[in-house]
Amino acid sequence: MTPSSDVNKIIREMKAAQRKAEQQVQRELKRAVDQANREIDQHNRKVEQQNRQAVAEYNKKVDAHNRAADRHNRQEVDRVNRELRKAAPQPAVSYTASERQLAQRVQEAVATQDTREYHVFLSYARIDGSEIASELRNGLESMGVSVWFDEVAIRPGKSLALQMDQGLRRAHTGVAVLTAAYLTGRFWTERELGVLLHKSTLIPVLHNVTFEDVAQYSGILPDLSGFSTEHDSVREIAEKIAAAVLVTESS
């Protein structure tokens, strides 16, 4: 072997050793990079989990705060509404001459009665008076008038007659929703009307009947002034009754 061939062999061996060393370095560098990436991913997942937990805890606190704020706001709104209702003037209504006389009698009756649980006892026939009676009761109660209304006041398991007698006794005045069924003389409505006629005031509210129809049923009721859904809406009738009933409380 010549000296030149020996030199070439040495050069090839050196290059092979260099390539092997470079490959080894690249493998080690790749392993280091992969390990670093795995550690970074693990760290990121841990940080992300911590962030989610922190956000969830914060959201819980915000939700709890918002719920508490909503409750407080609702309570404040209810309180302000109650104060406004107390401070609000009674609805201005206009009466006919006969209605004004009836309102004055109601005012005098309320003023002279002892304090009772109800302002009015609402008498009606379920067959054809339930809807208008419910509407009238809702209108009166929205204006601050307490109403004895059987669908609400009657408690199951107790004597119906006794509860109705108590309601009749504890009401300042009576409101009778006179309908065709009412004028047929049903037992309960006749019984209620008999008691209400002995009160100092009774307010007839005619619905789909006339005073001529009422005259055929009773010789007493036509002598009383009253309201009719033919001339006024139920809301307007409720306003007129409420103005008469509540006037003494606001004075």
Side-chain angles (χ1 to χ4, degrees), residues 43-57:
H43 173 74
N44 288 341
R45 286 194 296 272
K46 185 176 181 181
V47 170
E48 185 178 355
Q49 183 179 6
Q50 291 174 343
N51 289 341
R52 285 197 298 268
Q53 292 175 346
V55 170
E57 288 296 325

Side-chain angles (χ1 to χ4, degrees), residues 7 43 49-50 57 69 97-98 110 125 129 142 162 195 204 222 232 243-244 250:
V7 171
H43 173 74
Q49 183 179 6
Q50 291 174 343
E57 288 296 325
S98 61
V110 173
S142 71
L162 180 60
V195 177
D232 295 308
S250 61

Side-chain angles (χ1 to χ4, degrees), residues 156-202:
K158 296 183 178 296
S159 168
L160 175 62
L162 180 60
Q163 292 183 78
M164 293 184 69
D165 286 344
Q166 290 176 344
L168 287 163
R169 288 197 305 271
R170 294 158 67 184
H172 289 276
T173 190
V175 174
V177 178
L178 302 181
T179 58
Y182 199 108
L183 299 183
T184 60
R186 297 176 178 276
F187 172 75
W188 286 111
T189 53
E190 278 194 338
R191 188 172 183 273
E192 293 171 5
L193 185 61
V195 177
L196 293 176
L197 284 170
H198 286 85
K199 289 184 176 292
S200 57
T201 54
L202 171 61

Side-chain angles (χ1 to χ4, degrees), residues 81-137:
N81 285 336
R82 287 194 298 270
E83 292 179 355
L84 289 175
R85 284 195 294 270
K86 291 179 181 178
Q90 295 300 321
V93 295
S94 59
Y95 296 93
T96 64
S98 61
E99 289 174 351
R100 169 53 61 190
Q101 294 176 356
L102 174 62
Q104 290 174 348
R105 288 203 299 271
V106 172
Q107 294 164 12
E108 292 170 358
V110 173
T112 57
Q113 292 281 347
D114 295 333
T115 301
R116 305 293 177 93
E117 185 174 348
Y118 302 101
H119 290 109
V120 299
F121 181 101
L122 186 55
S123 176
Y124 66 100
R126 284 179 178 267
I127 294 178
D128 58 358
S130 180
E131 183 176 351
I132 183 177
S134 295
E135 186 179 352
L136 181 59
R137 169 231 171 189

Side-chain angles (χ1 to χ4, degrees), residues 178-180 183-184 204-228 230-231:
L178 302 181
T179 58
L183 299 183
T184 60
V205 175
L206 280 63
H207 181 62
N208 294 332
V209 296
T210 65
F211 272 108
E212 288 75 17
D213 297 327
V214 177
Q216 298 178 11
Y217 170 71
S218 170
I220 301 176
L221 282 175
D223 293 334
L224 299 176
S225 299
F227 306 103
S228 173
E230 182 181 359
H231 305 115

